[in-house]
Amino acid sequence: MTRARKHVAAMAPYALADLGGTDGRPAPSLAQNESFRPPCPGTFEAVVAAMADAALYPDPDWTELRSMIATRHGVEPDSILCGSGSLELIGCLARAFAGPNRAALAPAHAYPYFRSAAQASEARFDTAPESDRTASADALLEAVRPDTGCVFLANPGNPTGTRIPAAEVRRLRRGLREDILLVVDEAYGEFADHLDAPVFDMAAAGNTVILRTFSKAYGLAGCRVGWGTFPKGIAVEVRKVLNPGNVSAISQAAARAALRDDAYMRETCALVAARRDQAARKLAMLGIRCHSSFANFLLLDLETQERARSAETRLRSGGAVLRAQGAAALPHCLRMTIGPERELDNAVCLLETWIGESMP
């Protein structure tokens, strides 16, 4: 039988969320960081209209979509690349700029796909310590090695939900060598935009890429539309490994419609923040620590891996699925999406019951 290349055979598969309940059937999920609201009303009409041209290939340059993104964020249209979710762009950046002689570096509890993308490119994956589950510019700079080629930073972080200020992101860039590519993944950026100035201009300065997605705040996870702003030389190389026609015409239409209704997206972010903070207060009353989150989820610290497994089992038995975080080197934690109110309340109640059952 034909065998995979050695480095691929040695890789562990990317850890997908286990969405099954105790009976093996899908259970209500608070594991995927999906939006609890549907996309804005305009997306439905846009998708139906786009079906009229479904026999045609999509625009491979995402012309109208990136023009709208550029106007919305004050960047140049030519600096924008779109992907099948920001995940595709992360994978292509690793393929183009990491490898056997160019290691990748990320915070210790970073988005696990950073590791998968690096390993698929035959790159060593290094990590830097975090401070209270928050990325540290100083720690990342200290962890740079002579062969470091890429630094991946999710801000806000996933699964931690924490963030560092824009000034720290800029300080990190200034401290890195010019030959190191900094990739800032802002998949949850819309939930924190009100706190700080944007950093999109860093891409124009060179050797920095800023990524975003329509999956979270815009509620279009099923459409798979991500984008980023790239320095010209970086964009040229990434296009070589990016799939042509990667974002369907229907998905492009949905994303354009979502951009037209900025108020709806902002309302989603506000509703998420209110529901998230309320859930955090309830969990704190139960004695469960939640790290400060600037995203649409909470990271629950259950203190030990055994307690996290016990809580996860109890939650599943009651029809609530949270995401275990062993892949992010946090085996004592569970991540809880800020989902529909009924499902969120059920999860909190189940945790309260679990605590009562666990008490001697």
Side-chain angles (χ1 to χ4, degrees), residues 283 286 314-315 343-355:
L283 291 167
L286 298 178
R314 184 67 184 89
L315 286 159
E343 295 175 11
L344 200 61
D345 288 344
N346 178 49
V348 173
C349 288
L350 288 167
L351 286 166
E352 183 176 14
T353 301
W354 168 74
I355 289 171

Side-chain angles (χ1 to χ4, degrees), residues 21-180:
T22 54
D23 58 1
R25 293 182 296 179
S29 171
L30 296 176
Q32 298 277 69
N33 296 347
E34 298 152 328
S35 176
F36 62 75
R37 298 181 90 196
C40 71
T43 59
F44 297 90
E45 181 180 346
V47 165
V48 171
M51 284 298 297
D53 293 321
L56 307 178
Y57 286 113
D59 176 3
D61 288 317
W62 332 280
T63 308
E64 188 177 354
L65 175 57
R66 65 177 179 172
S67 176
M68 292 181 66
I69 293 171
T71 299
R72 171 68 178 79
H73 292 285
V75 300
E76 292 296 323
D78 289 346
S79 74
I80 295 171
L81 297 182
C82 296
S84 179
S86 54
L87 184 145
E88 182 187 22
L89 297 173
I90 291 167
C92 288
L93 282 161
R95 288 170 64 189
F97 293 97
N101 301 312
R102 290 176 59 87
L105 171 65
H109 308 299
Y111 180 34
Y113 187 71
F114 292 155
R115 180 186 295 273
S116 296
Q119 290 177 338
S121 303
E122 294 187 84
R124 189 184 71 250
F125 187 74
D126 300 327
T127 59
E130 297 187 13
S131 176
D132 196 24
R133 307 293 179 257
T134 304
S136 164
D138 288 329
L140 285 165
L141 291 171
E142 290 174 5
V144 169
R145 300 187 187 182
D147 65 346
T148 300
C150 296
V151 174
F152 290 99
L153 171 69
N155 196 41
N158 174 21
T160 62
T162 57
R163 66 181 292 275
I164 61 174
E168 285 295 282
V169 179
R170 295 180 187 278
R171 187 168 71 84
L172 172 62
R173 175 66 270 176
R174 289 195 301 270
L176 292 171
R177 298 193 313 266
E178 285 298 312
D179 64 321
I180 295 176

